[in-house]
Amino acid sequence: MKFPCSRILVAVVALVALVVPVCTATAQEAEAPAFHEQVDLEPIGGLAVHIQGRIKSFGSHANAMMDAVSGPKSIAGQSPTFTYLDMLFRPQAYEDADCIYIKNKLVRNVIADAVVESDPAMTERMDVFRSSGLVSPTVLDRPEVTPLLRNMESDLIRTAKQTDAIKSARTVMTPAFLLDRMRVIPPSTEDEKWHGLAEIMFLPVDADVLEAALEGLPPQDPIAGLDEAEQRRAAGAWRELVNAWNASDAEAVNVAAATLGDSLRTLNPEAYPSVERLSWENWYFEADQLTRGWLFYMLAIILLLLGTVYRWRWAMWSGMLVFTGAFAFQTFAVALRWWIAGRWPNSNMFEAVTTASWFGVLCAVLLEIFVLRRTAFRGLVPLGAAATAMVALMTANFLPVYLNPNISNMMPVLHDVWLYIHTNVIIFSYALIFMASVTAGMYILYRIVGGKAVYARAEIGRAHV
């Protein structure tokens, strides 16, 4: 990843010079979880960020950045937005923090074995690393680990990809990179790019008064075409946020965050995207992309099985009610992602899996209403669809390493209308194939345990329940 190092590095060094020195004592580290629970970062999480050709919420942006560092793991129970800002303001707190995720278990074991052999006192910590995959930059910089990483970098088949991911994580978590990616200042015209906070962070609140904290720092000029007073207000709020953060003053952080969010939105209201959409996007990622809907489908499966196997009318009706509610919940999740992304969600593996399962459930609902409701097959197709959706959402919820939930731009190949139709039909077929396999598996099990071939009749008779 490349970025303008020189200017941003100067800005970061100057920024750090403004803040209160950070104490790394054990007592203060123990208070960190309480601090992250006290701060309200919703005003910042709902800010607009221009990154990779797309305007997204800062919460969504932070989720993508932290995914490159800690993967699917959270650091000390912190939200991605909090961790993003904390790495920017207090980088030294993460020098020996286990925050870099290594997916490859071979790489984990090689590193852990080398560290334990060199320092047996690290055995317990390395056992945790083998399990969680999280390791600190300090461990990666140990003299016995550095040559190992160089050797693994040359193994293009097994380990080179993982060493590249480690390098990327270490780059992302640097203050210079994080500050550069905070392009939250809207342009004055449509032809301009969004601006970063580094471009205004040293503006004095009052143009006629030089603040003592800014003495000796390179002067900055306001961005042309934007409200100068609001730029100075945003710069002051940003400095207050940094100082309050390093002082662990949650109340002051909340005030500064609210002021910063308000001032950035008023710099150029016409160029700023819908605040409502940004807030929903931020909430969507805080709610884990609503993938916990698999719990509703699991309950529906239990009730539908009882209704199908034992012919309990109440269980069948209850199962269909829960199944319908789960479908409504998943429809809301798909529609919300569609609205947030500004395109139909079918551009990555996360969207393919979740959207395919939604297609399958939709098909089951329509078949149940118009074809199977009064037949012996009643409840069977919804049962297969519920199992399909449950597996899909569980995969999306528990395996974010394989199904990256971050919203990306539409793949160029999908701009062709016929390929777009083809892709969606293929996605739909995945769900139908899975549903058919679930239903067939249930029928085979039913026959193995002595069930009659009632469902195999060519002519579907009425159900007797």
Side-chain angles (χ1 to χ4, degrees):
M1 300 185 185
K2 298 181 180 179
F3 57 99
C5 237
S6 55
R7 285 188 63 188
I8 298 302
L9 192 55
V10 170
V12 171
V13 172
L15 174 64
V16 173
L18 290 174
V19 302
V20 179
V22 180
C23 178
T24 57
T26 306
Q28 285 198 355
E29 289 179 356
E31 295 175 3
F35 174 61
H36 82 74
E37 291 173 356
Q38 292 175 26
V39 297
D40 178 16
L41 296 179
E42 185 176 353
I44 294 180
L47 287 174
V49 180
H50 188 268
I51 196 78
Q52 295 178 340
R54 178 178 178 267
I55 297 176
K56 58 173 68 176
S57 73
F58 184 80
S60 172
H61 167 61
N63 188 80
M65 291 294 99
M66 292 305 102
D67 181 70
V69 178
S70 56
K73 309 289 185 177
S74 65
I75 301 173
Q78 301 166 177
S79 69
T81 302
F82 181 95
T83 305
Y84 187 109
L85 295 174
D86 205 36
M87 284 184 173
L88 172 59
F89 300 152
R90 305 189 314 126
Q92 57 270 53
Y94 293 87
E95 291 175 359
D96 196 31
D98 294 328
C99 57
I100 297 177
Y101 180 69
I102 296 180
K103 174 184 172 183
N104 191 306
K105 291 186 177 181
L106 170 64
V107 177
R108 294 186 201 176
N109 290 328
V110 169
I111 294 174
D113 291 342
V115 172
V116 171
E117 183 179 355
S118 175
D119 185 1
M122 294 283 288
T123 300
E124 184 176 351
R125 184 173 177 180
M126 288 300 98
D127 288 341
V128 174
F129 164 51
R130 295 178 203 268
S131 174
S132 68
L134 292 175
V135 67
S136 71
T138 301
V139 170
L140 296 176
D141 287 336
R142 292 176 67 101
E144 65 271 19
V145 174
T146 302
L148 290 176
L149 293 176
R150 281 199 297 266
N151 292 335
M152 287 188 284
E153 188 176 3
S154 61
D155 190 339
L156 300 180
I157 296 178
R158 296 186 302 169
T159 57
K161 185 177 179 180
Q162 188 60 69
T163 56
D164 288 341
I166 294 173
K167 289 180 179 179
S168 176
R170 301 198 67 170
T171 299
V172 169
M173 63 187 295
T174 58
F177 184 93
L178 296 172
L179 182 61
D180 175 63
R181 290 313 191 261
M182 290 194 71
R183 296 168 188 170
V184 294
I185 301 175
S188 57
T189 63
E190 293 183 359
D191 298 330
E192 292 184 7
K193 295 182 179 179
W194 281 58
H195 304 277
L197 273 173
E199 297 179 49
I200 68 166
M201 56 192 286
F202 300 131
L203 289 175
V205 176
D206 190 336
D208 299 324
V209 179
L210 179 62
E211 299 174 23
L214 300 178
E215 290 183 4
L217 296 177
Q220 284 184 322
D221 296 320
I223 299 172
L226 296 177
D227 189 309
E228 182 176 335
E230 288 299 333
Q231 290 185 59
R232 296 185 183 280
R233 180 174 171 235
W238 175 249
R239 293 195 296 271
E240 290 174 5
L241 176 67
V242 175
N243 282 299
W245 193 285
N246 281 274
S248 297
D249 186 345
E251 184 176 350
V253 166
N254 295 340
V255 172
T259 303
L260 179 64
D262 180 65
S263 59
L264 290 175
R265 291 186 180 95
T266 54
L267 282 172
N268 187 0
E270 294 181 359
Y272 210 84
S274 167
V275 174
E276 183 181 12
R277 186 189 70 78
L278 293 172
S279 298
W280 273 107
E281 182 174 358
N282 183 47
W283 177 83
Y284 174 74
F285 278 92
E286 287 182 348
D288 295 327
Q289 302 84 42
L290 302 179
T291 51
R292 289 195 176 92
W294 68 268
L295 291 167
F296 299 118
Y297 282 116
M298 182 176 67
L299 178 58
I301 290 172
I302 295 172
L303 293 170
L304 289 173
L305 275 174
L306 292 174
T308 302
V309 175
Y310 297 105
R311 297 295 182 182
W312 291 346
R313 186 184 297 271
W314 68 268
M316 179 63 70
W317 280 107
S318 299
M320 288 304 302
L321 182 63
V322 175
F323 175 74
T324 303
F327 173 62
F329 183 81
Q330 189 179 12
T331 300
F332 171 72
V334 172
L336 180 59
R337 190 176 181 97
W338 186 358
W339 179 53
I340 290 171
R343 55 166 177 74
W344 178 246
N346 65 347
S347 213
N348 56 37
M349 282 302 297
F350 176 91
E351 294 174 349
V353 169
T354 54
T355 304
S357 65
W358 178 83
F359 268 131
V361 178
L362 174 62
C363 178
V365 169
L366 295 177
L367 286 174
E368 185 69 17
I369 293 174
F370 296 108
V371 180
L372 306 175
R373 185 163 54 92
R374 297 183 180 278
T375 70
F377 285 87
R378 177 187 176 189
L380 281 181
V381 174
L383 183 56
T388 301
M390 184 188 73
V391 171
L393 293 178
M394 286 181 70
T395 303
N397 184 247
F398 294 111
L399 299 175
V401 172
Y402 301 96
L403 301 181
N404 191 326
N406 295 308
I407 298 175
S408 56
N409 296 325
M410 180 182 289
M411 293 183 292
V413 69
L414 294 181
H415 289 290
D416 182 281
V417 63
W418 291 111
L419 285 175
Y420 188 80
I421 294 173
H422 167 77
T423 301
N424 284 285
V425 170
I426 291 297
I427 288 175
F428 185 29
S429 71
Y430 294 157
L432 295 183
I433 293 170
F434 195 95
M435 286 168 54
S437 66
V438 170
T439 306
M442 289 190 299
Y443 179 71
I444 292 173
L445 181 62
Y446 168 77
R447 296 285 285 134
I448 289 176
V449 298
K452 298 180 180 179
V454 60
Y455 295 115
R457 295 174 183 170
E459 181 179 354
I460 302 174
R462 284 188 170 284
H464 300 284
V465 294

